[in-house]
Amino acid sequence: MCNIAGYIGTRRAAPVLIDMMKREEGFAGGYYTGIATIHDGKIHYAKVAGDTDTLCAMTGAADFPGNIGFIHTRPNGGGDTDAWAHPFISNNGHLALIENGTEGKYREKYPKEGMIKTLLDKGYSFTATTKEPVNYPKTDDGTHVHITDVICQYIQYCMDNGLDHRGAMEKTHTDIKCEIVGLLLDDAFEDRIFVTKENYPMTAGFAEGEVFLATTRLAFPEDIKFSSILQLTQNAYSEVYTDRIVTYPYAEYNLPHARITTQYYN
């Protein structure tokens, strides 16, 4: 299991995210760590094979600009290079994705190799690949690819073919089914984090002009008094803002496809 933290607010996101991850890192993770923020329409990101302290020591992550971002750490799962840490960046450079989860119950029923071939045939490429025997999908020549790298490029592929964030994330996580929660940044949107969730945890905490996202409430700053703490809806797509969460249940699960808005009030 991985750990995730996200933030939108009035403060610079990077120090907030690093503090949050240090609070929850011992819960799970510490082998591969990465961060991304957005500032002036550009994604700033760094990732390492190591824990949060390694990320800070080896990169300029703590100094990244921007008031929105997320951070991720995960257990040892193969790859052993910085490329195998999250976030994954879309080929066009405009999207950053982090996820927590596994293929789980969908491993045999929904093989991922066909999606990899589709992307390669369309000219998309991957950064986290290895010939070593790791527990990830593989290409026709036996190269293993990190599943989140595949998902990130597939989201871009869907958006390149006319879908919006909601449509792209729903189609991606219907076609490439996993037991996950995922957070997406788009460098054109500095006011929201896009979320897809099946069944892995993701908690939101609201404060004045700020929203915090985390795998566990352990990550939330102790000096923040939250007026609202809630779990995001499962089997759904959500957009998280500093004052609300807008959620659309996925049609795949035969739930009403109506908007659910959770509003934060001062």
Side-chain angles (χ1 to χ4, degrees):
M1 179 172 172
C2 311
N3 275 347
I4 291 174
Y7 173 79
I8 314 171
T10 56
R11 292 181 278 174
R12 194 160 55 86
V16 175
L17 293 167
I18 289 167
D19 178 70
M20 291 176 71
M21 187 51 67
K22 286 184 177 181
R23 292 170 180 270
E24 67 174 331
E25 187 171 57
F27 178 64
Y31 287 89
Y32 306 83
T33 307
I35 188 172
T37 65
I38 303 175
H39 181 65
D40 288 344
K42 179 182 178 181
I43 294 175
H44 300 260
Y45 75 98
K47 52 187 190 175
V48 298
D51 60 11
T52 305
D53 285 338
T54 303
L55 178 71
C56 294
M58 300 297 293
T59 74
D63 297 320
F64 282 176
N67 298 332
I68 177 174
F70 52 43
I71 192 168
H72 180 283
T73 191
R74 73 177 182 90
N76 189 5
D80 297 330
T81 66
D82 297 350
W84 286 74
H86 298 224
F88 289 93
I89 308 300
S90 60
N91 285 181
N92 64 11
H94 296 305
L95 307 175
L97 178 70
I98 59 176
E99 294 199 333
N100 173 21
T102 68
E103 294 179 82
K105 62 188 177 185
Y106 302 114
R107 181 179 299 278
E108 301 299 329
K109 188 175 181 181
Y110 295 90
K112 312 304 186 292
E113 284 71 19
M115 306 305 170
I116 294 174
K117 186 176 188 307
T118 294
L119 291 169
L120 290 172
D121 289 347
K122 296 292 184 179
Y124 295 83
S125 60
F126 308 109
T127 58
T129 62
T130 182
K131 290 285 190 177
E132 298 296 321
V134 294
N135 193 26
Y136 287 101
K138 58 185 177 181
T139 64
D140 289 343
D141 69 359
T143 300
H144 293 266
V145 183
H146 195 299
I147 184 62
T148 307
D149 199 357
V150 177
I151 290 171
C152 182
Q153 308 318 324
Y154 202 81
I155 291 173
Q156 182 195 323
Y157 165 69
C158 291
M159 295 184 71
D160 288 345
N161 283 276
L163 294 180
D164 60 10
H165 299 85
R166 170 184 161 191
M169 293 181 81
E170 177 165 6
K171 178 170 175 54
T172 297
H173 289 91
T174 299
D175 291 351
I176 308 177
K177 292 191 69 61
C178 297
E179 296 187 60
I180 56 92
V181 61
L183 274 58
L184 182 78
L185 294 176
D186 184 325
D187 62 14
F189 296 87
E190 298 188 32
D191 64 340
R192 72 198 75 173
I193 295 176
F194 306 93
V195 181
T196 186
K197 178 182 176 182
E198 187 190 306
N199 58 353
Y200 269 59
M202 183 51 53
T203 303
F206 291 95
E208 184 64 35
E210 299 178 299
V211 61
F212 299 79
L213 294 170
T215 303
T216 167
R217 291 172 58 179
L218 292 172
F220 292 157
E222 295 175 356
D223 61 342
I224 298 297
K225 295 181 179 179
F226 296 106
S227 298
S228 176
I229 296 177
L230 67 154
Q231 277 286 331
L232 270 66
T233 304
Q234 68 180 25
N235 301 334
Y237 161 84
S238 298
E239 294 182 5
V240 179
Y241 302 81
T242 57
D243 63 346
R244 68 194 185 279
I245 299 173
V246 181
T247 297
Y248 296 87
Y250 284 149
E252 169 77 9
Y253 300 92
N254 298 315
L255 296 172
H257 210 89
R259 185 176 72 175
I260 302 169
T261 301
T262 303
Q263 186 80 32
Y264 164 71
Y265 296 96
N266 295 338

